[in-house]
Amino acid sequence: MTPSGRSAEPEVIWARPQRAGRGPRPAHSRDSIAAEAVRIADAEGIEAVSMRRVATGIGAGTMSLYNYVPRKEDLYELMVDAVSGEYEFTPPSGDWRADLLALAHRTRELMHRHPWLPRLLSPVYGFGPNALRYLEHCLACLAPLGVPGGEKLELVAAVNGSVATFVAAELALAERARSLPWSEAAEQGVRTAWLGSRLATGEYPLLAAALTGGHPVAEAEADMDAVFDRSVSRLLGAWEQPAHTP
Amino acid sequence: MTPSGRSAEPEVIWARPQRAGRGPRPAHSRDSIAAEAVRIADAEGIEAVSMRRVATGIGAGTMSLYNYVPRKEDLYELMVDAVSGEYEFTPPSGDWRADLLALAHRTRELMHRHPWLPRLLSPVYGFGPNALRYLEHCLACLAPLGVPGGEKLELVAAVNGSVATFVAAELALAERARSLPWSEAAEQGVRTAWLGSRLATGEYPLLAAALTGGHPVAEAEADMDAVFDRSVSRLLGAWEQPAHTP
DNA sequence: CCTAGTTACGTACACCGTACGGAGTCAGGT
DNA sequence: ACCTGACTCCGTACGGTGTACGTAACTAGG
């Protein structure tokens, strides 16, 4: 009546039992599937992760994978939660600002290790076990902050959103270059050439000043750490005093 | 030697001339192609936008489209820039905080009108004509702010990143529901049921308190405007005083 | 006018997610 | 102890995707 992998009902992958009572014991585990998908995505980009590829990667037939992962979206959820398990939490120090800044750095490192993460994180993939652990830890760090719990979650979401977009921008060129038949430098070259030709028209004087005035792109990479730190610090600083609405 | 649509060299779509000198006059325009793609994405979601679909939509053969748009990624760039043209800029008021807050609201409305925008915006699609106009206008609004131009761009990026993640979260459920065979309510139901069952274990006391303590999800929608306004205001407020690094 | 470069587009290929059905395997109820 | 029903495994197949390639029609520059 309701064969396990064939239902057309909504379902949360985490609620589905790993081992059903009845049939033969499964030859694979959810963890090993997630690990294989992460391995492929790290090595060849998220677009290389296909059901066929993951299945053959763990030595299974393509359609066998659907016994473990009913839809491809669920595979993404498994991946996100798997790498979320890489966080190593240290007890809150009492300085919530420092704690959250350090966490943001860990998140950035995580996203550098798994460049597909920002992309997959943007829709709210929902509340796997490691995500719950992470949120609980954030709230523990935010205990000294005197705002209601709901706003603390807003703060965490705002920080993570900023980190995700920051790292996505950081990685945009490199990630694009992966799936392109030419080099990253060549791509970069034609793009800055185009931008330069537009700026040279004089139609965008402020933009031209802002782009050429500061750092000349060469030292930009070295500054990235500083820019990141400053930008997250600013965001956190905005929570120090109550929201200011004139 | 270098046939227009067949090159394997990197290329920025904006640098490619719309009309080449030599051949027959093109039967379509870049604008009409972008408009068709936007129409499809608005009506049926971004995943419905395929080269075939857009081509038949404007009454062309599939492969003819490749004369205008060398890769699908370029189609996305056209779409982003096309809707960026919907901004109607008013002259800077002198209050940069108010101006940028208003712009953020326009961006949010734009993303509600085109729910696929946050997704496509996350990697830095590059500097089409309307994006350049937008940036120039932002810088004009930020003229009263006494920081270097580079940091102004950081501010704009931070605001846009926050808006994008905010709206992405707002739209996540509705957008997910579009491509799913069951209703949004059913999906929502099983997800909150799962979350409730996890919270009931007592493993996440802070999270449980934060989620149940505040608004009971029902009135959350009505509050979205206020939450958005407050969150952007906070971010802007963080730029009032110099970055604070203890 | 010629011809080179461009437009238009049909065909084809490799790949994708996944519906379906059949065979093998095991636990629970009788 | 056996049967039966649920479950695992997986081959096949379908309708879709992006796009490489080849060919025919057309048009502007020399």
Side-chain angles (χ1 to χ4, degrees):
Chain A
M1 191 63 93
T2 313
S4 80
R6 214 58 67 79
S7 78
E9 313 243 322
E11 192 179 13
V12 180
I13 178 110
W14 309 111
R16 162 192 284 242
Q18 291 228 34
R19 169 102 163 86
R22 261 320 171 48
R25 61 166 25 80
H28 311 280
S29 75
R30 208 175 272 172
D31 285 352
S32 67
I33 290 169
E36 175 67 13
V38 167
R39 209 185 53 73
I40 295 172
D42 287 348
E44 303 171 46
I46 187 65
E47 74 280 357
V49 175
S50 72
M51 297 299 270
R52 275 171 242 259
R53 192 84 159 62
V54 172
T56 64
I58 62 171
T62 304
M63 293 313 290
S64 305
L65 199 53
Y66 281 86
N67 286 316
Y68 303 85
V69 182
R71 296 179 316 272
K72 195 185 182 186
E73 236 192 31
D74 292 317
L75 183 58
Y76 290 149
E77 278 204 43
L78 289 185
M79 292 173 69
V80 170
D81 207 69
V83 301
S84 298
E86 294 180 20
Y87 280 107
E88 290 174 10
F89 302 127
T90 52
S93 70
D95 180 354
W96 64 268
R97 233 160 152 295
D99 287 348
L100 254 71
L101 183 58
L103 264 174
H105 274 106
R106 297 298 88 71
T107 303
R108 178 163 173 248
E109 291 160 11
L110 188 68
M111 289 178 172
H112 276 272
R113 240 169 7 240
H114 308 292
W116 41 269
L117 231 196
R119 268 268 208 219
L120 253 49
L121 220 52
S122 55
V124 185
Y125 274 118
F127 301 113
N130 286 321
L132 293 177
R133 272 192 343 121
Y134 169 82
L135 286 176
E136 184 72 10
H137 178 73
C138 287
L139 290 174
C141 292
L142 285 174
L145 177 61
V147 303
E151 284 195 39
K152 290 179 187 176
L153 289 177
E154 283 176 31
L155 169 55
V156 172
V159 171
N160 278 340
S162 292
V163 173
T165 53
F166 186 95
V167 179
E170 264 189 294
L171 297 175
L173 271 178
E175 278 304 285
R176 191 199 327 253
R178 184 205 298 280
S179 63
L180 252 37
W182 46 76
S183 78
E184 175 178 356
E187 173 84 13
Q188 171 83 306
V190 298
R191 294 199 103 91
T192 58
W194 156 251
L195 187 56
S197 79
R198 293 307 301 161
L199 294 183
T201 65
E203 286 180 62
Y204 315 98
L206 300 173
L207 189 55
L211 285 176
T212 62
H215 34 252
V217 180
E219 40 179 289
E221 285 183 31
D223 289 352
M224 277 304 197
D225 287 4
V227 173
F228 178 81
D229 203 279
R230 196 175 27 169
S231 128
V232 175
S233 289
R234 274 203 154 116
L235 187 55
L236 293 174
W239 254 264
E240 297 252 282
Q241 59 273 4
H244 153 245
T245 44
Chain B
M1 190 64 91
T2 313
S4 79
R6 215 57 69 80
S7 79
E9 314 242 322
E11 192 179 13
V12 179
I13 179 118
W14 310 111
R16 160 192 287 241
Q18 290 228 34
R19 169 103 164 85
R22 261 319 170 46
R25 60 168 25 83
H28 310 278
S29 76
R30 207 175 273 170
D31 286 351
S32 68
I33 290 169
E36 175 67 13
V38 167
R39 208 186 52 74
I40 295 172
D42 287 348
E44 303 171 47
I46 187 65
E47 75 279 358
V49 175
S50 73
M51 297 299 270
R52 275 170 243 259
R53 191 85 160 63
V54 172
T56 63
I58 61 171
T62 304
M63 294 313 290
S64 306
L65 199 52
Y66 282 85
N67 286 319
Y68 301 86
V69 181
R71 298 179 313 273
K72 195 185 181 186
E73 235 192 32
D74 292 317
L75 183 59
Y76 290 149
E77 278 203 45
L78 289 185
M79 293 173 68
V80 170
D81 207 69
V83 301
S84 297
E86 294 180 19
Y87 281 106
E88 289 174 11
F89 302 126
T90 53
S93 70
D95 179 354
W96 63 267
R97 228 159 155 296
D99 287 348
L100 254 71
L101 183 59
L103 264 174
H105 274 107
R106 297 297 89 71
T107 304
R108 177 164 173 248
E109 290 160 11
L110 189 69
M111 289 178 171
H112 276 272
R113 239 169 7 240
H114 307 292
W116 41 269
L117 230 196
R119 269 272 209 213
L120 254 48
L121 220 53
S122 57
V124 185
Y125 277 116
F127 300 114
N130 286 321
L132 292 177
R133 271 190 345 120
Y134 169 83
L135 287 176
E136 184 73 10
H137 178 73
C138 287
L139 289 174
C141 292
L142 285 174
L145 177 61
V147 303
E151 283 195 40
K152 289 179 187 175
L153 289 178
E154 283 175 31
L155 169 55
V156 173
V159 171
N160 278 340
S162 291
V163 173
T165 53
F166 186 94
V167 179
E170 263 188 295
L171 297 175
L173 272 178
E175 279 303 287
R176 191 200 325 255
R178 184 206 297 280
S179 63
L180 251 38
W182 47 75
S183 78
E184 174 178 356
E187 173 85 13
Q188 172 83 305
V190 299
R191 294 198 105 89
T192 58
W194 157 251
L195 186 56
S197 80
R198 293 308 300 160
L199 294 183
T201 65
E203 285 180 65
Y204 315 98
L206 300 173
L207 188 55
L211 286 177
T212 62
H215 34 251
V217 180
E219 41 179 287
E221 285 184 31
D223 289 351
M224 276 305 195
D225 286 5
V227 174
F228 178 80
D229 204 278
R230 194 176 28 169
S231 126
V232 176
S233 290
R234 270 201 157 118
L235 186 54
L236 293 174
W239 253 265
E240 298 250 283
Q241 60 273 6
H244 154 245
T245 45

